[in-house]
Amino acid sequence: MEEISNFIKTIMKNDLESGKCKSIMTRFPPEPNAYLHIGHARAMITNFELAQSFGGKTNLRFDDTNPAKEDTEFVEAIKKDIEWLGYHPANVFYGSDYFEQTYELAVKLIKKGLAYVCDLSQEEISKYRGDLHNPGIESPYRNRSVEENLELFENMKNGKYAEGEKVLRAKIDMSSPNINMRDPVLYRILYIKHHRTQDKWCIYPMYDFAHPIQDAIEGITHSLCSLEYDNHRVLYDWVIEKCEMPNVPQQIEFGRLNITNTIMSKRYLRELVQSCKVIGYDDPRMPTLVGLKRRGYTPDAIKNFVKASGLSRVNSTIEGEMLEHFLREDLKLKTNRLMAVTDPLKIIIDNYEEGKIEYVDALNNAENEELGSRKVAFSKYLYIEKEDFILEKPNKHYKRLALGLEVRLYHAYFIKANSVETDSEGNIIAVHCTYDPQTKSGTGFNERKPNGTIQFVEATTARKAQFNLFEPLIIESEDDDRSFLDRINPNSWVIRNGFVENYKPHFEELERFQFIRDGYYTVDKDSQDDKLVFNRIAPLKSSIK
Ligand code: ATP
Ligand code: MG
């Protein structure tokens, strides 16, 4: 497994050595308003692995201070994703656990003259805030007395005002060069049922106020977040200082992870699901962790990919190919290599006895004998891939079957194609071949070289299977300004129907295989014993030449 090493690790090491902190405590703080995607995995893996590498701990904290889009469905899904990746949070907390303490700290700020109730509307607040070139204008409500603010804030809490009528703001500096410091909103009114606290509260703290408080209460030492929070750090530190929190966590930002041809924003993923462009959050083409899992990706492939993508203070865009690379690396020696035919062409061996089936010993993985062996069936009737036969006269680079040419069938015999059988429209329905009994696999026959080696499946024992082949969901192109919903790749999910060798009676969901000369596959959750369904996780070779 790749080792995690980066600038944050160095900071932690120094903090431990200087005695700034005694142990490392991190948290992974997803908002339970969507399914996690592979970008979130960077945050998750970074938090858990860094703490682990110092013998520290990581909390899972659901950042549920905005009840508008949150739901327990997402809470449960996120817990499962974390478990799937193999992490164990020290505690599972919710931002809403701290509503009472957060409220009391807001009261404390009011008493210190550092917060006030403001009646400006949202639009007015942003207009008064100014911009990078112009200082803000102070709100006319900024100098209310402490007593008045305490009373108004309590009224807010007691539901005396409508949504948007009043907010609580920090009193900092309307001319600060950092716009986040221009009297940011700390609390707003929302009459929305919260998935945990129900109707208890009608005021909810803003992220910038709630998050540092939550970190401090939990004793978080290093609060890692993505780069867009960079210019919120001053406010984070302000809240910790003015609320006089006994623990002082340190916010550190890291770059976000992006992947080529992959949309990684919760909002877009939701739109894909809602517009039925995909079959759900676990559609095998989705970059969600549930999608990657159903597609067949392994936790180790994902972790190694994220670790290898590095971690720095700039956002990075990584080739999706890299993820396939780590999948192949992970599965190469772990999976059995079976034979499957995704687009079948019938082969009839004219000189083989009718009704006879023989079984040949085959290693499950030629590079790892520990995976044992199996019996592969051979008879007069076989299937090969359509693309492994051509009727036209082949050139000398062609290494497959053609009339007059001989190929080796993996784990079986050499066969030579003699003639084709066609239907009334001239389509090939079968290829007549002869086999050479001397060439049986394992006998060391080396008198002739075949024109390549191809896979096959014995027809009478073959299991029917559907193969799902994937390409990137969205077509990315520089000069295409259509919405992403109009840029769905029509080949992103191609279905093929064929056969797989009868390896075992029941193929378990998520069992993974290599199908020889094709790629790595897993068993989809819709698979049934009489109609197997396989998802191609990744082709054997990179499509980038
Ligand atoms: P939104 O899509 O609404 O911006 P979010 O991605 O910020 O949401 P959260 O649930 O707040 O979603 O994310 C949890 C953690 O994952 C945060 O610390 C966030 O910074 C981090 N994170 C999210 N996307 C990425 C990404 N692409 N790369 C790295 N970290 C990410
Ligand atoms: Mg967020």
Side-chain angles (χ1 to χ4, degrees):
M1 176 99 48
E2 305 272 327
E3 260 297 303
I4 197 152
S5 151
N6 53 57
F7 74 103
I8 304 179
K9 192 170 187 176
T10 311
I11 297 176
M12 289 176 166
K13 190 164 166 276
N14 292 341
D15 289 349
L16 284 169
E17 278 168 11
S18 71
K20 189 170 169 193
C21 59
K22 293 203 167 46
S23 58
I24 302 293
M25 185 85 212
T26 61
R27 87 287 169 265
F28 173 58
E31 208 181 329
N33 61 359
Y35 282 77
L36 297 184
H37 54 61
I38 188 159
H40 294 113
R42 170 179 273 188
M44 188 201 303
I45 292 168
T46 303
N47 277 294
F48 278 98
E49 301 266 338
L50 280 174
Q52 255 169 38
S53 68
F54 293 105
K57 290 183 180 155
T58 304
N59 287 345
L60 166 60
R61 185 196 313 136
F62 288 104
D63 171 17
D64 61 352
T65 52
N66 177 5
K69 293 196 195 107
E70 292 158 7
D71 197 275
T72 43
E73 174 196 353
F74 301 122
V75 168
E76 294 313 313
I78 290 171
K79 283 184 186 165
K80 277 198 195 145
D81 285 339
I82 296 175
E83 198 180 314
W84 180 59
L85 283 186
Y87 296 117
H88 305 284
N91 303 284
V92 179
F93 291 132
Y94 295 81
S96 53
D97 293 340
Y98 313 112
F99 279 165
E100 196 68 51
Q101 282 148 290
T102 314
Y103 174 77
E104 278 156 22
L105 288 166
V107 170
K108 179 177 185 144
L109 291 187
I110 296 174
K111 287 184 179 161
K112 289 172 83 174
L114 293 172
Y116 62 97
V117 172
C118 182
D119 297 6
L120 292 181
S121 67
Q122 211 178 338
E123 296 75 51
E124 287 166 329
I125 289 179
S126 48
K127 216 168 78 199
Y128 276 53
R129 189 171 287 141
D131 53 36
L132 287 176
H133 311 289
N134 301 295
I137 303 165
E138 293 189 355
S139 158
Y141 306 99
R142 198 171 198 260
N143 295 315
R144 279 174 162 158
S145 68
V146 169
E147 290 67 36
E148 192 186 355
N149 280 319
L150 284 174
E151 190 187 328
L152 294 175
F153 188 48
E154 191 168 346
N155 288 344
M156 277 172 66
K157 178 188 160 206
N158 292 335
K160 298 238 167 99
Y161 311 117
E163 277 183 21
E165 204 178 318
K166 287 186 169 38
V167 291
L168 183 75
R169 297 175 70 177
K171 193 171 180 176
I172 309 180
D173 178 3
M174 288 307 289
S175 57
S176 168
N178 183 333
I179 294 172
N180 293 310
M181 298 298 275
R182 295 184 188 171
D183 292 9
V185 173
L186 303 180
Y187 263 94
R188 78 272 203 217
I189 300 170
L190 285 175
Y191 291 97
I192 301 177
K193 205 184 183 87
H194 186 279
H195 73 108
R196 292 184 78 237
T197 58
Q198 310 294 333
D199 294 319
K200 178 153 188 245
W201 295 88
C202 64
I203 53 169
Y204 291 94
M206 301 300 287
Y207 175 90
D208 280 336
F209 185 52
H211 207 83
I213 291 173
Q214 296 161 0
D215 284 344
I217 294 173
E218 291 179 14
I220 303 302
T221 54
H222 298 79
S223 176
L224 316 182
C225 59
S226 41
L227 209 52
E228 70 272 23
Y229 293 101
D230 178 42
N231 54 12
H232 293 242
R233 189 181 344 111
V234 197
L235 178 54
Y236 183 99
D237 293 341
W238 184 92
V239 171
I240 297 286
E241 185 199 326
K242 302 302 179 194
C243 290
E244 299 165 45
M245 302 307 289
N247 293 308
V248 180
Q250 162 179 197
Q251 176 181 306
I252 306 170
E253 308 84 26
F254 58 81
R256 284 176 92 92
L257 170 68
N258 299 303
I259 301 180
T260 53
N261 290 315
T262 308
I263 277 190
M264 265 200 312
S265 145
K266 284 176 175 177
R267 188 167 68 85
Y268 291 143
L269 296 179
R270 198 178 301 127
E271 274 182 58
L272 284 168
V273 172
Q274 283 168 356
S275 62
C276 297
K277 299 282 185 197
V278 294
I279 59 171
Y281 281 102
D282 70 346
D283 185 298
R285 295 166 295 177
M286 292 278 270
T288 50
L289 293 179
V290 281
L292 291 164
K293 178 178 176 186
R294 181 167 178 185
R295 169 81 166 257
Y297 275 99
T298 59
D300 278 352
I302 293 173
K303 287 188 197 176
N304 285 334
F305 166 74
V306 166
K307 290 179 190 175
S309 75
L311 190 69
S312 69
R313 290 216 60 219
V314 289
N315 295 332
S316 50
T317 300
I318 311 289
E319 290 285 336
E321 277 293 315
M322 278 264 285
L323 184 56
E324 295 190 349
H325 163 79
F326 284 106
L327 188 272
R328 291 185 203 107
E329 284 295 299
D330 188 25
L331 294 187
K332 194 164 68 185
L333 299 180
K334 287 186 192 161
T335 47
N336 289 343
R337 300 176 180 178
L338 305 187
M339 295 200 282
V341 169
T342 62
D343 187 15
L345 171 65
K346 191 151 198 175
I347 298 288
I348 301 169
I349 312 286
D350 291 324
N351 60 340
Y352 199 87
E353 194 182 325
E354 183 80 48
K356 177 179 166 186
I357 297 184
E358 68 178 288
Y359 289 89
V360 191
D361 272 324
L363 279 179
N364 286 329
N365 185 323
E367 289 179 79
N368 179 8
E369 295 200 5
E370 282 176 15
L371 295 185
S373 62
R374 66 185 188 284
K375 302 277 186 200
V376 168
F378 182 83
S379 80
K380 189 179 182 73
Y381 302 102
L382 316 172
Y383 294 113
I384 64 166
E385 283 292 352
K386 243 182 212 145
E387 64 174 31
D388 283 337
F389 175 79
I390 48 166
L391 200 51
E392 307 83 62
K393 195 173 161 38
N395 68 32
K396 64 179 194 305
H397 301 296
Y398 181 79
K399 286 289 167 231
R400 288 171 268 174
L401 192 63
L403 291 181
L405 287 182
E406 191 178 46
V407 293
R408 182 206 311 269
L409 296 179
Y410 267 104
H411 304 306
Y413 295 94
F414 288 17
I415 60 165
K416 185 171 163 190
N418 302 314
S419 63
V420 295
E421 207 177 305
T422 52
D423 63 13
S424 54
E425 284 160 12
N427 301 310
I428 300 175
I429 49 174
V431 180
H432 286 265
C433 299
T434 43
Y435 87 113
D436 179 351
Q438 294 184 77
T439 59
K440 187 167 176 173
S441 159
T443 57
F445 177 84
N446 64 0
E447 283 159 38
R448 300 192 299 276
K449 261 188 97 70
N451 189 48
T453 304
I454 64 174
Q455 77 274 27
F456 76 100
V457 175
E458 194 282 319
T460 57
T461 54
R463 300 280 294 275
K464 252 199 192 149
Q466 171 182 320
F467 301 91
N468 296 323
L469 309 188
F470 305 106
E471 280 184 16
L473 184 58
I474 309 289
I475 299 172
E476 225 38 280
S477 107
E478 300 266 300
D479 44 78
D480 192 341
D481 47 17
R482 286 176 303 162
S483 128
F484 74 99
L485 289 177
D486 298 324
R487 285 188 281 121
I488 303 284
N489 177 357
N491 297 321
S492 59
W493 185 333
V494 171
I495 292 178
R496 289 201 187 162
N497 287 296
F499 300 96
V500 63
E501 63 175 284
N502 188 19
Y503 167 69
K504 56 185 336 203
H506 176 65
F507 287 75
E508 294 288 338
E509 182 183 341
L510 287 188
E511 214 177 332
R512 298 178 182 87
F513 300 97
Q514 183 193 114
F515 291 153
I516 291 177
R517 293 180 68 233
D518 180 342
Y520 291 98
Y521 282 81
T522 195
V523 182
D524 188 74
K525 71 174 186 192
D526 287 343
S527 182
Q528 288 171 351
D529 288 341
D530 58 352
K531 178 69 191 285
L532 302 168
V533 180
F534 294 99
N535 295 330
R536 184 157 78 181
I537 320 169
L540 274 190
K541 289 221 177 61
S542 156
S543 54
I544 291 182
K545 297 283 180 318

